[in-house]
């Protein structure tokens, strides 16, 4: 029987956006299973949502897809986590050229740490080029409408966070 091909899609997902969702769907065309993995760092945490809240939002978004998309969190190095869960590939999204330098540095660092782990860059769908979790939070905090940029469950949670 063919081996299950697992990809890990790491990030902060604070919160998950339609851009991330688009990328997960693209990844499922190539891999059997995607683990959406929230990297946590208790010493440097300035996230809006707790890890539990972020996991819950991701699980709600992908629940129709069953076991092919799973949400998880990890502490420590991505390369160690990927090895633990049996992922051979790290997925990262590229929007603009400006993403490239940061992504290139991370991919090279990860390759230096574990040469068996490949990083695969996927192009975000053109409707999602300008979305980032950071900007989504800023716009909501200032009263702007982000309903085209995040799924309904995330929009609701964002509005709750900023209602005061
Ligand atoms: O969505 P982000 O915040 O750009 O994702 C960055 C992330 C989580 C992929 C990166 O910070 C990461 O891999 N963190 C885990 C710790 C680690 O392995 N650091 C070394 C990366 S070269």
């Amino acid at each position: 029987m063919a081996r299950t091909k697992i990809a890990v899609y790491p990030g902060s997902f604070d919160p998950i956006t339609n851009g991330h969702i688009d990328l997960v769907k693209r990844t499922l065309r190539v891999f059997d299973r995607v683990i959406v993995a929230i990297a946590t760092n208790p010493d440097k945490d300035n996230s809006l949502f707790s890890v539990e809240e972020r996991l819950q939002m991701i699980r709600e978004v992908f629940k129709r897809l069953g076991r092919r998309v799973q949400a998880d969190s990890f502490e420590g190095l991505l390369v160690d986590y990927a090895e633990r869960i049996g992922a051979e590939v790290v997925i990262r999204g590229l929007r603009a050229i400006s993403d490239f330098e940061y992504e290139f540095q991370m991919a090279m660092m990860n390759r230096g740490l574990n040469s068996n782990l490949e990083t695969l860059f996927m192009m975000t769908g053109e409707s999602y080029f300008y979305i980032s979790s950071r900007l989504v939070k800023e716009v909501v905090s200032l009263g702007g409408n982000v309903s085209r940029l995040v799924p309904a469950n995330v929009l609701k949670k964002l509005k709750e966070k900023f209602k005061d």
Side-chain angles (χ1 to χ4, degrees):
M1 205 172 73
R3 213 156 34 95
T4 307
K5 284 249 170 228
I6 303 174
V8 59
Y9 179 24
S12 308
F13 304 105
D14 186 41
I16 189 163
T17 67
N18 288 344
H20 297 127
I21 296 168
D22 173 68
L23 215 80
V24 168
K25 290 183 177 160
R26 286 173 196 281
T27 305
L28 285 175
R29 295 186 184 150
V30 186
F31 291 88
D32 302 312
R33 191 175 292 177
V34 184
I35 315 290
V36 181
I38 300 171
T40 65
N41 183 345
D43 299 331
K44 269 200 324 199
D45 196 4
N46 52 7
S47 314
L48 175 66
F49 292 102
S50 71
V51 175
E52 270 317 310
E53 287 174 312
R54 284 180 271 165
L55 281 172
Q56 196 196 341
M57 286 186 272
I58 297 169
R59 286 182 182 136
E60 282 165 8
V61 165
F62 294 114
K63 67 172 178 279
R64 275 185 316 111
L65 297 174
R67 282 183 57 75
R68 288 195 74 200
V69 184
Q70 288 175 319
D72 195 9
S73 63
F74 69 98
E75 216 181 303
L77 285 177
L78 171 63
V79 290
D80 294 337
Y81 172 73
E83 197 169 337
R84 277 203 302 283
I85 62 166
E88 292 158 278
V89 169
V90 174
I91 300 292
R92 292 289 290 173
L94 281 182
R95 289 163 302 190
I97 306 265
S98 53
D99 285 342
F100 186 78
E101 192 163 335
Y102 168 61
E103 294 297 336
F104 186 78
Q105 277 179 356
M106 277 204 300
M108 285 303 162
M109 182 63 83
N110 285 332
R111 182 181 286 171
L113 293 166
N114 180 352
S115 58
N116 294 320
L117 187 67
E118 290 296 340
T119 301
L120 193 73
F121 294 106
M122 307 276 283
M123 295 298 287
T124 309
E126 59 265 39
S127 332
Y128 307 114
F129 254 53
Y130 56 95
I131 309 182
S132 73
S133 299
R134 186 180 60 79
L135 284 181
V136 162
K137 286 181 283 193
E138 186 173 320
V139 170
V140 178
S141 75
L142 298 171
N145 180 357
V146 295
S147 57
R148 285 177 307 113
L149 312 182
V150 294
N153 65 323
V154 173
L155 187 64
K156 185 164 169 274
K157 294 283 279 180
L158 278 165
K159 284 182 176 164
E160 280 168 21
K161 283 276 176 200
F162 289 110
K163 73 171 177 291
D164 308 323

